[in-house]
Amino acid sequence: MKNTLALNDNLSLSRIIHGYWRLRDWNLSDPELLKLIEQVLELGITSFDHADIYGNYTCEEFFGRALALKPELREQMQLISKCGIRLSTDFNPELEVKIYEYSSEYIIKQAEASLKNLGTDRLDLLLLHRPAPFFDPEEVAKAFDHLKQSGKVFNFGVSNFTPMQFDSLQSYLDMPLATNQVELSIACLEHWENENIEFFQKHKIKPMAWSPLAGGKIFKPESQREHRLHSVLKEVAAELGIEAIDQVMYAWLLKHPVGILPIVGSKHIDRIKSAVDALEIDLSLQQWYKIWIASKGEDLP
Amino acid sequence: MKNTLALNDNLSLSRIIHGYWRLRDWNLSDPELLKLIEQVLELGITSFDHADIYGNYTCEEFFGRALALKPELREQMQLISKCGIRLSTDFNPELEVKIYEYSSEYIIKQAEASLKNLGTDRLDLLLLHRPAPFFDPEEVAKAFDHLKQSGKVFNFGVSNFTPMQFDSLQSYLDMPLATNQVELSIACLEHWENENIEFFQKHKIKPMAWSPLAGGKIFKPESQREHRLHSVLKEVAAELGIEAIDQVMYAWLLKHPVGILPIVGSKHIDRIKSAVDALEIDLSLQQWYKIWIASKGEDLP
Amino acid sequence: MKNTLALNDNLSLSRIIHGYWRLRDWNLSDPELLKLIEQVLELGITSFDHADIYGNYTCEEFFGRALALKPELREQMQLISKCGIRLSTDFNPELEVKIYEYSSEYIIKQAEASLKNLGTDRLDLLLLHRPAPFFDPEEVAKAFDHLKQSGKVFNFGVSNFTPMQFDSLQSYLDMPLATNQVELSIACLEHWENENIEFFQKHKIKPMAWSPLAGGKIFKPESQREHRLHSVLKEVAAELGIEAIDQVMYAWLLKHPVGILPIVGSKHIDRIKSAVDALEIDLSLQQWYKIWIASKGEDLP
């Protein structure tokens, strides 16, 4: 399987994406982070997933400091960020509660902050982080137009949107939304159940998958369902002659015809390589369904 | 905030609408009702919401008798009615159960009855009262065409429809449906959950809101949720320096970018004025979300 | 009511369809089955519903052997089949679990197997048996194109699809999908609840109804709901001056404006005739709703 996927005529991402929501937990010095970035690029992973709020608004700056040590790497990578969530932390002392904001002014402000923090002059892709009950698509369209025309953001998308939410926003935009980043894994079938998968296929949207390993809970199974999943992964891994069940979890996502781009959130290069190696694994249809059935807890109807 | 809102090129309503479903409970003489209508008009409320069945099919006639005392007021107002529900009351002795009927013949018959009872020669807006499991969109299209071409009804809409139901009926009509009247309030988030809000935004539909004060239950809170809502409304009202929490409830609806038209169902002119005054209140985004969170009982994801 | 219904310009089916999923249980010799087919045709039923998997992949062959005794009957009938489910039985010894397969190759293989088993050179209609979590609409489009151009299948449709699933697949096809075969009966309101009914009306799709008598459970009511339904059916039958409550169940489906084609799965010609006779019954709107209300267990809102 190829390690790049075109989301549209202007944007290709690496099939496996490196995600930085836990960057602060990694405790890396700037040179150590630079080294990790270089190793990741060597694996063919060229797309890097950020958000303004990761690490209480600090992860992008950490990444930017490492990148500044070797700025020419920017040309080899696609930088993705998100905005719209406003945390009720010391960063926003005026907020009593977490809110979402999608005013034109705020979207532009946060995109520009991401540029500054990442140390780059453009984002390849900017996502709206979550759908919001208070949402004005005209404001979003205005922000996207400005960011596009000023050359600050090349492509736009959303995250965690339903089909209707996607469709409604799309109707206000001249350009097609490039992707919808959603939670997809063998333990999270929500976007099959809400029919996002079919919606993506209809509109030829390739979804990015966050939490593709289900937060790690299957590695140490507790619930009956986690035990079922752990057991079937072990079985399929044995059939394929491989050790690592995380590879089977990635392969299950990669096998799906919709074209899923998993985001790997690890600092360990061997774990990241495991995801890339999964591109070479081809599950049989029966293996794919055995995992589906273990997740659902019942046979197909 | 302006006190008129254009639903389409042909129809503007006042942002606050006066509703008559409880007219019979008000115990007003014809001159008293006329006086109320005049006071309401003086507040800038020009749109009046009726339905054939209100007061067991009698409210429209009461309104018509008051209007007949000063028929020139008709020129200053928009009259809205609804049809499709057939009550199993003495008015329909042949019915053992309440049913819905949307045959072409029946829709025309009820629209004409509303004209006669209201004492007018045209309705500005006719709504189908509820979606029905037995429904023939071709019959509806036939009725709408006839009523439009005969000059009896100028605009058509629906009430309580889902996106799919709206979309399906729309596909049979030449003219765009003007609105969808649904229950919207800080205590009824159903049309956020079924994604009508996003559907409205996509199609630039301005929804009318019935029961915008949630039937009054928040004024005398009983459940935990009602207590949460009462408490946050008090808090926001204090921040805004106002007394009446009903104004905050209206302001919360009016703030939403979709463009909601609340229907006020009171006979008390000071309560009605409270809704109009809410047009001047501008909640902060944080206030809007604090009310949302109190209603949901949990923080944003 | 006419006993034919056009699904599109190229395909008309009889309004009542004869279904063969229980053919193996009928224990008929080839001449007995031929006789049944001839009697069914004499009733005006010309459409015959099959699937590759019925009777563990054997029903089509049984039907084909009977038809071979009088092959000229083929010209009087429309043959419908389905594919996509792969049973984990002796027929597929390599499968540990039931799976769905919609690869181009597999769809073509199964359609050709149906042709061979039924002893015919073309299917009038081929349906995808169930929506699948692993589904590639491009593969389906390729298979449909091949089967259409080779003259092996004239029309295509689906079964048990939701609106989104239908819509997504349709967007990959040049030809309109002819139908969606779904479970519809007075005891199965699922496709009202998921809004398939409105979707069908929007797209002028006539659904085929499987299990139109709800699997027979209402004839021997056990649950409260079954007792309610049995009782209202008896009441309506008495009002109509007929004996058989199965006729009321068919008449309830046939009355609906969407245009439902019930599939009768009986070997008893009098039971099959009962369905055809239901074409002459016209329920009142009140009768239709009394049955709806009995099924829901509550009055209309």
Side-chain angles (χ1 to χ4, degrees):
Chain A
M1 193 177 286
K2 276 175 53 182
N3 191 11
T4 59
L5 196 59
L7 300 199
N8 58 44
D9 291 346
N10 303 313
L11 179 64
S12 284
L13 300 182
S14 56
R15 189 65 187 261
I16 306 295
I17 293 170
H18 198 213
Y20 285 81
W21 72 96
R22 287 190 301 219
L23 172 55
R24 292 303 301 280
D25 305 333
W26 297 348
N27 284 317
L28 299 177
S29 66
D30 296 347
E32 284 168 341
L33 177 54
L34 175 64
K35 187 178 161 206
L36 177 62
I37 293 170
E38 291 189 285
Q39 288 176 318
V40 164
L41 284 167
E42 275 160 30
L43 287 174
I45 296 178
T46 60
S47 302
F48 296 82
D49 185 66
H50 296 272
D52 56 354
I53 57 166
Y54 289 163
N56 189 25
Y57 299 92
T58 65
C59 285
E60 293 190 322
E61 193 181 347
F62 267 72
F63 185 91
R65 280 183 1 215
L67 182 56
L69 300 177
K70 202 166 179 184
E72 64 271 28
L73 292 182
R74 176 65 185 93
E75 304 308 314
Q76 303 176 36
M77 56 175 66
Q78 299 85 43
L79 291 178
I80 304 162
S81 191
K82 314 185 194 75
C83 68
I85 299 178
R86 295 188 60 187
L87 300 177
S88 168
T89 62
D90 53 326
F91 191 85
N92 291 306
E94 76 282 15
L95 290 184
E96 295 169 51
V97 289
K98 176 166 69 172
I99 67 171
Y100 301 158
E101 180 163 353
Y102 292 108
S103 69
S104 176
E105 190 181 25
Y106 184 73
I107 293 169
I108 293 169
K109 177 169 160 283
Q110 290 308 99
E112 290 176 345
S114 289
L115 292 178
K116 178 163 170 290
N117 289 328
L118 292 165
T120 184
D121 59 349
R122 82 278 181 192
L123 290 173
D124 295 278
L125 179 58
L126 176 68
L127 309 180
L128 304 189
H129 209 143
R130 283 198 171 273
F134 189 97
F135 189 82
D136 186 346
E138 291 188 0
E139 286 287 306
V140 174
K142 214 190 313 179
F144 284 5
D145 277 346
H146 172 83
L147 291 167
K148 176 91 175 175
Q149 282 171 24
S150 61
K152 289 172 178 163
V153 180
F154 290 176
N155 294 276
F156 301 89
V158 294
S159 187
N160 304 303
F161 272 44
T162 65
M164 181 72 83
Q165 290 161 345
F166 190 104
D167 200 34
S168 179
L169 175 57
Q170 182 62 74
S171 72
Y172 283 80
L173 306 176
D174 296 328
M175 65 203 100
L177 290 164
T179 190
N180 189 358
Q181 181 178 128
V182 293
E183 185 178 4
L184 295 170
S185 74
I186 67 166
C188 178
L189 308 181
E190 174 188 344
H191 296 279
W192 276 268
E193 285 151 10
N194 70 11
E195 301 186 320
N196 244 333
I197 296 293
E198 283 88 351
F199 181 80
F200 296 155
Q201 291 189 313
K202 178 178 176 188
H203 294 285
K204 302 189 170 56
I205 297 159
K206 313 297 181 198
M208 297 168 68
W210 60 267
S211 215
L213 299 182
K217 61 192 176 190
I218 296 164
F219 301 115
K220 293 177 182 168
E222 291 181 8
S223 70
Q224 283 203 327
R225 185 180 183 226
E226 286 158 18
H227 278 287
R228 279 200 315 269
L229 283 167
H230 187 261
S231 164
V232 75
L233 288 172
K234 282 283 190 194
E235 186 186 326
V236 171
E239 289 168 10
L240 295 166
I242 58 178
E243 286 274 318
I245 62 170
D246 60 339
Q247 278 191 29
V248 181
M249 294 171 78
Y250 290 122
W252 189 85
L253 291 174
L254 293 166
K255 169 89 175 170
H256 197 281
V258 74
I260 297 168
L261 301 103
I263 303 171
V264 182
S266 176
K267 73 163 175 173
H268 299 292
I269 197 67
D270 56 326
R271 298 290 294 276
I272 302 169
K273 186 173 181 310
S274 200
V276 176
D277 290 346
L279 290 164
E280 303 307 319
I281 298 175
D282 187 21
L283 297 186
S284 74
L285 196 56
Q286 181 170 203
Q287 287 167 333
W288 195 92
Y289 272 110
K290 275 164 68 177
I291 294 168
W292 172 273
I293 291 164
S295 184
K296 296 287 266 191
E298 57 183 18
D299 281 343
L300 293 175
Chain B
M1 194 177 282
K2 276 176 53 182
N3 190 11
T4 59
L5 197 59
L7 300 200
N8 59 44
D9 292 345
N10 302 313
L11 179 64
S12 284
L13 300 182
S14 55
R15 189 65 188 262
I16 305 295
I17 292 169
H18 198 212
Y20 285 81
W21 70 96
R22 287 190 300 219
L23 172 56
R24 292 304 302 280
D25 304 334
W26 297 347
N27 283 315
L28 299 177
S29 67
D30 295 348
E32 286 168 339
L33 177 53
L34 175 64
K35 187 178 161 204
L36 178 62
I37 293 170
E38 291 189 286
Q39 288 176 317
V40 164
L41 285 167
E42 275 159 32
L43 287 174
I45 296 178
T46 60
S47 302
F48 296 83
D49 185 65
H50 295 271
D52 57 353
I53 56 166
Y54 289 163
N56 190 24
Y57 299 92
T58 65
C59 286
E60 293 189 321
E61 192 181 348
F62 267 71
F63 185 92
R65 282 190 351 222
L67 182 57
L69 300 179
K70 203 166 178 182
E72 65 271 27
L73 292 182
R74 177 65 184 91
E75 303 309 313
Q76 303 176 36
M77 57 176 63
Q78 299 85 42
L79 291 179
I80 303 161
S81 191
K82 315 182 194 75
C83 68
I85 299 179
R86 294 187 60 187
L87 302 176
S88 169
T89 62
D90 54 325
F91 192 85
N92 290 307
E94 76 282 15
L95 290 184
E96 294 169 51
V97 289
K98 176 165 68 171
I99 67 171
Y100 300 158
E101 180 163 353
Y102 291 108
S103 69
S104 176
E105 190 181 25
Y106 184 73
I107 293 169
I108 293 169
K109 176 168 161 285
Q110 290 309 98
E112 290 177 343
S114 290
L115 292 178
K116 178 162 171 291
N117 290 328
L118 291 166
T120 184
D121 60 347
R122 82 281 181 190
L123 290 173
D124 295 277
L125 179 57
L126 176 68
L127 309 179
L128 304 189
H129 209 142
R130 284 198 171 273
F134 189 98
F135 189 81
D136 186 346
E138 291 188 359
E139 287 286 305
V140 173
K142 214 191 311 177
F144 284 5
D145 277 347
H146 172 83
L147 291 167
K148 176 93 174 173
Q149 281 170 24
S150 61
K152 290 174 179 163
V153 180
F154 290 176
N155 293 277
F156 301 89
V158 294
S159 187
N160 305 303
F161 273 44
T162 65
M164 182 73 84
Q165 290 161 344
F166 190 104
D167 201 35
S168 179
L169 175 57
Q170 183 62 75
S171 72
Y172 282 80
L173 305 176
D174 296 327
M175 65 203 101
L177 290 164
T179 189
N180 189 357
Q181 182 178 127
V182 293
E183 186 179 3
L184 295 170
S185 74
I186 66 166
C188 178
L189 307 181
E190 174 188 345
H191 296 279
W192 275 269
E193 286 151 8
N194 71 10
E195 302 186 318
N196 243 331
I197 295 293
E198 282 89 350
F199 181 80
F200 296 156
Q201 292 190 313
K202 177 177 177 189
H203 295 285
K204 303 189 171 58
I205 296 159
K206 314 296 181 197
M208 298 169 68
W210 61 266
S211 215
L213 300 181
K217 60 191 176 191
I218 296 163
F219 301 115
K220 294 176 183 168
E222 291 181 10
S223 69
Q224 283 202 326
R225 185 180 185 224
E226 287 158 16
H227 277 288
R228 279 201 314 268
L229 283 168
H230 186 262
S231 165
V232 75
L233 289 172
K234 281 284 189 194
E235 185 186 327
V236 171
E239 289 168 9
L240 296 165
I242 57 176
E243 287 274 317
I245 62 169
D246 60 339
Q247 278 191 28
V248 182
M249 294 171 78
Y250 289 122
W252 189 85
L253 291 174
L254 292 166
K255 169 92 173 168
H256 197 281
V258 74
I260 296 168
L261 301 104
I263 303 170
V264 182
S266 175
K267 71 164 177 173
H268 299 293
I269 197 67
D270 56 324
R271 299 289 295 276
I272 302 169
K273 186 172 180 311
S274 201
V276 176
D277 289 345
L279 290 165
E280 303 308 317
I281 299 174
D282 188 21
L283 298 185
S284 73
L285 196 55
Q286 180 170 203
Q287 288 166 334
W288 196 93
Y289 272 109
K290 276 164 67 177
I291 295 169
W292 172 272
I293 290 164
S295 184
K296 295 288 267 190
E298 55 183 19
D299 280 344
L300 293 175
Chain C
M1 194 178 281
K2 276 176 53 181
N3 191 12
T4 59
L5 196 60
L7 299 199
N8 58 44
D9 291 347
N10 303 314
L11 179 63
S12 285
L13 299 182
S14 55
R15 189 66 188 260
I16 306 295
I17 293 170
H18 199 212
Y20 286 80
W21 70 95
R22 287 189 302 221
L23 172 55
R24 291 304 303 278
D25 304 333
W26 296 348
N27 284 316
L28 300 177
S29 67
D30 295 348
E32 286 169 338
L33 177 54
L34 175 64
K35 188 179 160 205
L36 177 62
I37 293 170
E38 291 189 285
Q39 289 176 317
V40 163
L41 284 167
E42 275 160 30
L43 288 174
I45 296 177
T46 60
S47 303
F48 296 83
D49 185 66
H50 295 272
D52 56 354
I53 56 167
Y54 289 163
N56 190 24
Y57 299 91
T58 65
C59 285
E60 291 189 324
E61 192 181 350
F62 266 72
F63 186 92
R65 281 188 353 220
L67 182 57
L69 300 178
K70 203 168 177 182
E72 64 271 27
L73 292 182
R74 177 65 184 93
E75 304 308 315
Q76 304 175 36
M77 56 174 66
Q78 299 85 43
L79 291 179
I80 303 161
S81 192
K82 315 183 192 76
C83 67
I85 299 177
R86 295 187 59 186
L87 301 177
S88 167
T89 62
D90 54 325
F91 192 85
N92 290 307
E94 76 282 16
L95 291 184
E96 294 169 51
V97 290
K98 176 166 69 172
I99 67 170
Y100 300 158
E101 181 164 353
Y102 292 108
S103 69
S104 176
E105 189 182 27
Y106 184 72
I107 293 169
I108 293 168
K109 176 168 160 284
Q110 290 308 99
E112 290 176 344
S114 290
L115 292 178
K116 178 162 170 290
N117 289 328
L118 291 165
T120 184
D121 59 350
R122 83 279 180 190
L123 290 174
D124 296 278
L125 180 58
L126 176 67
L127 309 180
L128 303 189
H129 209 143
R130 284 199 171 272
F134 189 98
F135 189 81
D136 185 347
E138 291 187 0
E139 286 287 305
V140 174
K142 214 191 312 179
F144 284 5
D145 277 346
H146 172 82
L147 290 167
K148 176 93 173 173
Q149 281 170 25
S150 61
K152 287 173 180 164
V153 179
F154 290 176
N155 294 276
F156 301 89
V158 293
S159 188
N160 305 302
F161 272 45
T162 65
M164 182 72 83
Q165 291 161 343
F166 191 104
D167 201 35
S168 180
L169 175 57
Q170 181 63 73
S171 72
Y172 283 79
L173 305 176
D174 296 327
M175 67 204 100
L177 290 164
T179 190
N180 189 357
Q181 182 178 127
V182 293
E183 185 178 4
L184 295 170
S185 74
I186 66 167
C188 178
L189 307 182
E190 174 189 345
H191 296 279
W192 275 269
E193 286 151 9
N194 70 10
E195 301 186 318
N196 244 333
I197 295 293
E198 283 87 352
F199 181 80
F200 296 156
Q201 291 189 313
K202 177 176 177 188
H203 294 284
K204 302 190 170 56
I205 297 158
K206 313 296 181 198
M208 298 169 68
W210 61 267
S211 214
L213 300 181
K217 60 192 176 190
I218 295 162
F219 302 115
K220 294 176 183 168
E222 290 181 9
S223 70
Q224 283 202 326
R225 185 179 184 225
E226 286 158 17
H227 277 288
R228 279 199 316 268
L229 283 167
H230 187 261
S231 163
V232 75
L233 288 173
K234 282 284 189 194
E235 186 187 326
V236 171
E239 289 168 9
L240 296 166
I242 57 177
E243 287 274 318
I245 62 169
D246 60 339
Q247 278 192 28
V248 182
M249 295 171 79
Y250 289 122
W252 189 84
L253 291 174
L254 293 166
K255 169 88 175 170
H256 197 281
V258 74
I260 296 167
L261 300 105
I263 304 170
V264 182
S266 176
K267 72 163 177 174
H268 299 292
I269 197 65
D270 56 325
R271 298 288 295 275
I272 302 169
K273 185 172 181 310
S274 201
V276 176
D277 289 345
L279 290 165
E280 303 307 319
I281 298 174
D282 188 21
L283 297 186
S284 73
L285 196 55
Q286 181 170 202
Q287 288 166 333
W288 196 92
Y289 272 109
K290 276 163 66 177
I291 294 168
W292 172 272
I293 290 164
S295 183
K296 294 289 266 189
E298 57 184 16
D299 281 343
L300 292 175

